[in-house]
Amino acid sequence: MQTPARDIPAEGRGGPQQGNAGLLKAMSPGVVDFLFRQLVAGRPAEDVQWEQEGISLASQPEGAELARRLAETDLDALTPLELFHYVRAAQRLADWAEGLRQAAVARYCGAPPA
């Protein structure tokens, strides 16, 4: 049975610390390979293929489908641009839901609809 060396930090012994997990995941061999192939082909390093696979979050109308997509999204897998669009879509959904809440409160309180 081997014991870990005392001078090797925890992340070097196969147990990455929580703070470094995202960095290690982002620089996986697959990501490095993708970036290399994009640069060699003269294309931008950002993956834009996801935009061609259906309705983007920015175009998705507010409602249950947008809420489902936001809830099922793996935030750790998003690029900075995708995360920006995610945040904007979440804010649109929150604003829409707030409008529904205000309309329901107004109806409950007997105020005329706006």
Side-chain angles (χ1 to χ4, degrees):
M1 179 169 133
Q2 296 180 343
T3 58
R6 295 174 195 222
D7 59 338
I8 298 175
E11 58 267 18
R13 292 192 303 253
Q17 295 174 349
Q18 188 65 19
N20 293 335
L23 177 62
L24 295 175
K25 182 177 180 181
M27 295 308 294
S28 70
V31 170
V32 173
D33 182 56
F34 170 78
L35 291 173
F36 178 75
R37 285 184 284 118
Q38 291 292 97
L39 294 173
V40 167
R43 294 186 297 247
E46 187 165 333
D47 181 10
V48 293
Q49 182 178 354
W50 64 272
E51 293 176 343
Q52 301 166 0
E53 294 178 0
I55 296 176
S56 68
L57 285 178
S59 302
Q60 181 74 51
E62 295 82 3
E65 179 63 16
L66 180 58
R68 182 196 64 77
R69 289 182 63 193
L70 292 172
E72 292 178 356
T73 299
D74 178 11
L75 295 179
D76 293 331
L78 299 180
T79 66
L81 180 62
E82 291 168 338
L83 188 58
F84 174 78
H85 287 296
Y86 179 93
V87 170
R88 288 187 63 201
Q91 185 59 52
R92 281 190 306 111
L93 184 64
D95 293 344
W96 175 78
E98 178 61 19
L100 292 177
R101 187 193 69 78
Q102 289 178 2
V105 168
R107 184 174 176 99
Y108 179 79
C109 294

